[in-house]
Every structure is written in C-alpha cells, then in structure tokens.
Amino acid sequence: MNAEELIKTVEGTLINPDADLSKEIKGGCGADLMSDVLASIQPEAVLLTGLCNPQVVRTAQMADVSAIVLVRGKLPPQETIDLANNERIPLITSPYGMFELCGRLYQNGLKSFESSVADGDCSCEQFS
C-alpha cells in the first residue's frame, strides 16, 4: 500500500501536500505512547495516533515510519505540520477512531507492525 491508497482507505485528508507519497507502507501500529512506538514498531509502518505534537513526527522519523494518521479528525499545530513537511512524512487526518482505522487497514491487507515488548522491563505486570 502507498500513501495515496492509505488516504483513501482511512477516508483521510493529507495535511502536508509536499510529503513523499511514494514510500511503501507494509504494516501498521496504533499508539499514543511514543516510547511504545520506539520500543515496538517496525520500519515502513503507518503510525495511527491521537497525539498531535511535534514529538509524533520526531518519533516517526527515528522509527522509519512511512506515514502518520491522526485519529478522530484531529488537526495538529503548525509546528507539527512544519516538521512533517521538513521530514516529508505524510501527515494525514481521519475522522475515524483508532479502533476502526486499525480494522480498516487490517481488512485491506496491512499487518500489525508492533513487536512484543514483554522481554523488556516496562514497569508493569505481565498477564498470562
């Protein structure tokens, strides 16, 4: 899937039209904790998030994310848009929530690109 197909699938709007839409998107991850993204996401994923601050773009750049989708119709501040423009990462807003968007993308062939963090110390209890 490429960014143009992603935009259609999520019924989204591209916020930064100068972004690189040619990157392949091979999987997805939904998260609001950027530490979880850094610990578990695989390259060439789309990041679904409810966060709109510049840290989302910085995290995406560090994790080699192909596109960012902001859920529930959120619009980011100009600082976030400017950073996404500089990094050429597609920044997309969609009216749907994270749960529905994950389902739509999965139905359209994207796999989860989240790896387990159970081996690391996350300061939380593990359930069996």
Side-chain angles (χ1 to χ4, degrees):
M1 177 178 290
N2 64 33
E4 291 175 345
E5 293 167 323
L6 171 69
I7 292 166
K8 288 178 187 173
T9 301
V10 302
E11 296 181 29
T13 301
L14 181 64
I15 296 172
N16 56 335
D18 291 334
D20 180 5
L21 302 180
S22 67
K23 285 186 177 180
E24 188 172 355
I25 300 164
K26 296 182 179 178
C29 173
D32 286 338
L33 290 173
M34 294 300 102
S35 59
D36 282 351
V37 173
L38 288 173
S40 69
I41 199 169
Q42 297 173 40
E44 298 180 308
V46 56
L47 171 60
L48 305 173
T49 186
L51 297 180
C52 297
N53 60 41
Q55 280 306 113
V56 171
V57 179
R58 289 188 184 99
T59 301
Q61 190 272 333
M62 289 173 52
D64 196 24
V65 165
S66 295
I68 302 166
V69 175
L70 305 176
V71 302
R72 297 182 299 279
K74 291 191 173 189
L75 295 173
Q78 191 61 48
E79 182 182 4
T80 303
I81 297 168
D82 292 343
L83 188 55
N85 274 330
N86 290 342
E87 298 298 331
R88 301 201 64 225
I89 297 173
L91 187 59
I92 301 156
T93 185
S94 174
Y96 300 104
M98 192 179 306
F99 182 79
E100 181 165 345
L101 289 174
C102 288
R104 283 174 175 242
L105 293 172
Y106 186 81
Q107 281 184 324
N108 280 277
L110 286 187
K111 298 179 181 185
S112 172
F113 263 30
E114 296 178 68
S115 55
S116 175
V117 294
D119 293 338
D121 179 20
C122 68
S123 300
C124 54
E125 293 183 30
Q126 301 295 318
F127 293 98
S128 303

